[in-house]
Amino acid sequence: MRRTGHRQGQDRERSELYILFLAGIYNLIFVDVSVDGMPLRTLILLVADFLCIAVYICKREMELPRWTACSTSERALAVVLGITAVAVAFWALSESDHFWAGVDAVALLLVYPCISGRKKFPQDIFCVYSASSGVVCVLITLYYFAGGICEPFIALLIRDDAVVSWLVLGITVNMTAYCFQERGQVWYGGNVLLASFLLAVQKNVFGMAVAALVPLMIPIFCRPSKALVGRAAQAGLMYAFLICNMSLITGNVPLIKGIVTYDLEISVYMELMLAVMGIWFLEYWDRYARDADGDATVPEMRIWCRKAVTAFLTASAGLFAAAELFAAVEDSAWQRTARILADDIGESISWGAGLFGQMGRRFGIWGIAAACMLFYAGITRICNARQWRVKAHKLYRLITAVCLLQALFLPQTMVSLPVYAVFFFLFMQTQEERIQRTDSCRVEHGIRCKGIQIDAAEADQQEKGENADEADYSDPMLQ
């Protein structure tokens, strides 16, 4: 799987076509077709995985390491893959109903050895994924506006709210591309607006909340330069403005069968909250970033974004609690609004639809244990990866965080899981060389080493690299 030294440098880029395949062609196949009882998407993913592994092993572009040389995540995934393969074989012999679910799991786990060992972030993954998702978004839009004319092509997406997690991923990737790409701003911005509109049509409050956190998370996970923060603010404003005006849009747009309605009173409250957030942001912007150069690092904006995320989560929890409280009070002036909010939030949050619920329903206690292991590994890795200094690797970390957030309550299907799995495994197997230390001095926050007191801000700069990116050796467009 993982190779080191000169041979790794030669062979680490061989799986780029496979990743682009999952982000492009595979992302266009949502027809509800089965081949001898196996869903077409599962069959394509399984064949692609086995073909990719076979080709790489035959060409000696992949090398299985010794067990003692494997990392903890590699060992855990190898164990899970082995157990799942044995279980699938048993279910096939016993003609169990769990057989196809096991095939799905094997197909997802095989993504790991297909992409393991690479360090390059595919240069074209943003435009390929954006183009494919843009085509599908157009088909979904036609379905809603033209009376279901494109339903056969997107049958898997419109079933059981599967489109929600798929749209959250599309918004995340397009927002990230909008912030980092120097070209195609109109294209990526248009994709953000279209995907945001379709997500709002689904009216899944948790999905919309996860997407709203993305522009706030970008300056936290990546270097908060003035240009990056400005673009993230633009993307966040586009998204928030669209969501806040959905009551006007749905009132004047002929969606099929009145599929969704938004209350005008709640839209007004949302506009007021957006205005308050805007005043807060502009105050910080004028104070710290107004006179800075475009590429200058503005660490204070990262602090602001952390405060904004904390405020957003706290306000969301408080809003849900208040809605539950006032919805039960008969004579309250807030009863009508509270009931609408409580119903919308309650319908969007369901443990049974998330990864834990589905793994438990399909595989019992072993499925829940596997989901817990993946969450623990991902969260631990996110917390321990603050030293990363390459932008592409920080984007792995950002998308993985979104992956874990949406996996809690959003429906998890084979519609979106393969692409999420690609980014998750890319992040889990990525390694960075630690920063060289001089004078055998371990630099820590404010800790005296060999009689020298290291300033905390300087320690952050040297040890964690949060405010400075090295040249990205993989992708000129992300430098």
Side-chain angles (χ1 to χ4, degrees), residues 18-19 22 111 115 125 417-427:
Y18 173 77
I19 298 175
L22 288 182
V111 173
I115 65 177
I125 193 169
L417 272 179
V419 183
Y420 272 115
V422 166
F423 283 105
F424 182 82
F425 290 139
L426 279 172
F427 170 71

Side-chain angles (χ1 to χ4, degrees), residues 387-405:
Q387 300 174 4
W388 288 8
R389 301 180 63 193
V390 178
K391 291 180 182 179
H393 297 169
K394 292 182 178 182
L395 297 183
Y396 296 159
R397 185 169 168 244
L398 169 64
I399 297 176
T400 300
V402 175
C403 169
L404 295 179
L405 277 175

Side-chain angles (χ1 to χ4, degrees), residues 364-382:
I365 188 64
W366 299 108
I368 296 177
C372 290
M373 183 177 64
L374 288 176
F375 264 78
Y376 175 79
I379 294 173
T380 303
R381 182 77 165 158
I382 288 174

Side-chain angles (χ1 to χ4, degrees), residues 20 26 30 33 47 83 97 111 113 118 133 157 175 213 290 337-338 347 411 421 432 442 456 463:
L20 294 179
Y26 185 76
F30 297 112
V33 176
V47 171
I83 294 175
D97 295 336
V111 173
R118 63 178 293 113
S133 62
L157 278 174
M175 275 192 180
L213 284 174
R290 183 174 184 178
T337 302
E347 291 177 359
E432 281 203 354
R442 181 176 179 83
E463 179 73 9

Side-chain angles (χ1 to χ4, degrees), residues 96 206 261 303 351 401:
S96 172
F206 183 78
T261 57
I303 297 174
W351 281 104

Side-chain angles (χ1 to χ4, degrees), residues 264-277:
L264 180 61
E265 182 179 350
I266 295 179
S267 296
V268 173
Y269 295 147
M270 293 173 64
E271 294 276 9
L272 292 176
M273 292 177 61
L274 180 61
V276 173
M277 291 293 293

